[in-house]
């Protein structure tokens, strides 16, 4: 009986050691997507890309990096899910260089104008800030970091195109609303920011709608207190 127990134990140990390393989250802020053939411009489906101009660090509190976690954090800083759960338009995709190749956005969240229940219906009508979420979690870079494409858009009458300078303005507004102490649903957040250069190009080359960007990506580290 002891021999059978020993054999079974050794088998379980061997099976555990064979599990892929992707199961273990890489404890870094993020991995530069370009290292493994990715980009910080997503694919907007129109020959250009939207800049992934905000990154929520993989060193943030783990609960922030989940689907429900990013939604709750978004509600704490003035964003919410889309009006009545309806999404118009095709999802955009991004290659974050994590080995998963191009992946569609996880979720899109919109400015809620002070009402997390129906406020995004107003954003859909009159425009405002919004962002798309992409998660870096493939076998080459299992960081869990969230890459956000943030931008200010025109009202529905203008087909929700991006306003002039809308990528930089959208990022700045998002970051200003995120830093410091925020709370929603009984969860308290503390957020710090760091601006980074040399991840995105400067100018309009390859950018959707030909809108020039300043090349800054803001790294946010969000801690649940």
């Amino acid at each position: 009986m002891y021999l059978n127990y020993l054999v079974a134990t050794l088998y379980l140990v061997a099976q555990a050691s064979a599990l892929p390393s992707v199961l273990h989250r890489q404890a870094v802020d993020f991995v530069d997507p370009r290292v493994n053939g990715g980009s910080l411009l997503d694919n907007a489906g129109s020959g250009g890309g939207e800049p992934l101009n905000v990154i929520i660090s993989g060193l943030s509190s783990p609960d922030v990096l989940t689907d429900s976690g990013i939604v709750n954090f978004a509600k704490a800083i003035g964003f919410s899910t889309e009006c009545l759960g309806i999404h118009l338009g095709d999802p955009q995709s991004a290659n974050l260089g994590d080995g998963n190749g191009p992946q569609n956005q996880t979720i899109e969240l919109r400015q809620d104008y002070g009402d997390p229940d129906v406020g995004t219906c107003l954003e859909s009508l009159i425009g405002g800030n919004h962002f798309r979420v992409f998660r870096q979690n493939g076998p080459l870079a299992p960081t869990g970091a969230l890459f956000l494409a943030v931008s200010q858009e025109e009202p529905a009458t203008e087909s929700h195109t991006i306003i002039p300078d809308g990528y930089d303005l959208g990022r700045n507004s998002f970051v200003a609303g995120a830093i410091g102490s925020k709370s929603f649903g009984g969860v308290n957040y503390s957020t710090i920011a760091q601006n980074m250069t040399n991840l995105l190009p400067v100018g309009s080359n390859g950018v959707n709608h030909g809108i020039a960007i300043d090349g800054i990506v803001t790294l946010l580290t969000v801690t649940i207190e």
Side-chain angles (χ1 to χ4, degrees):
M1 180 178 295
Y2 176 76
L3 180 59
N4 290 339
Y5 171 79
L6 180 61
V7 170
T9 301
L10 291 174
Y11 174 79
L12 291 174
V13 171
Q15 290 295 101
S17 64
L19 290 174
S21 60
V22 70
L23 296 180
H24 303 285
R25 189 162 65 91
Q26 189 174 354
V28 295
D29 287 315
F30 67 96
V31 172
D32 185 344
R34 299 172 299 177
V35 172
N36 295 310
S39 173
L40 275 91
L41 288 172
D42 73 7
N43 181 357
S46 58
E50 294 195 347
L52 304 177
N53 48 13
V54 174
I55 300 173
I56 297 184
S57 168
L59 299 180
S60 298
S61 295
D63 284 351
V64 174
L65 304 175
T66 65
D67 289 355
S68 60
I70 186 58
V71 170
N72 198 77
F73 176 68
K75 290 180 177 180
I77 63 174
F79 293 81
S80 191
T81 51
E82 295 190 277
C83 177
L84 305 178
I86 299 172
H87 175 71
L88 300 178
D90 295 329
Q92 297 184 8
S93 64
N95 183 351
L96 299 183
D98 59 2
N100 283 338
Q103 295 290 309
N104 284 347
Q105 63 198 48
T106 298
I107 194 170
E108 186 169 347
L109 297 157
R110 298 182 181 278
Q111 187 175 348
D112 67 15
Y113 289 99
D115 188 334
D117 295 320
V118 297
T120 57
C121 295
L122 182 60
E123 194 279 340
S124 293
L125 180 64
I126 68 171
N129 215 5
H130 74 308
F131 65 98
R132 306 170 192 272
V133 181
F134 303 88
R135 180 177 288 110
Q136 187 177 62
N137 64 352
L140 299 182
T143 67
L146 302 179
F147 287 65
L148 313 183
V150 189
S151 58
Q152 289 265 9
E153 63 182 0
E154 302 276 11
T157 54
E158 299 294 331
S159 302
H160 286 166
T161 56
I162 307 303
I163 69 171
D165 202 23
Y167 297 120
D168 292 347
L169 291 176
R171 177 204 61 218
N172 292 345
S173 177
F174 180 94
V175 171
I179 56 176
S181 297
K182 310 291 178 180
S183 64
F184 187 85
V187 182
N188 299 318
Y189 302 96
S190 178
T191 302
I192 59 174
Q194 174 188 348
N195 285 339
M196 303 176 293
T197 57
N198 301 318
L199 290 170
L200 279 169
V202 176
S204 61
N205 187 35
V207 180
N208 198 31
H209 302 299
I211 296 173
I213 58 175
D214 60 15
I216 293 174
V217 176
T218 302
L219 178 69
L220 298 180
T221 303
V222 185
T223 304
I224 295 177
E225 299 178 320

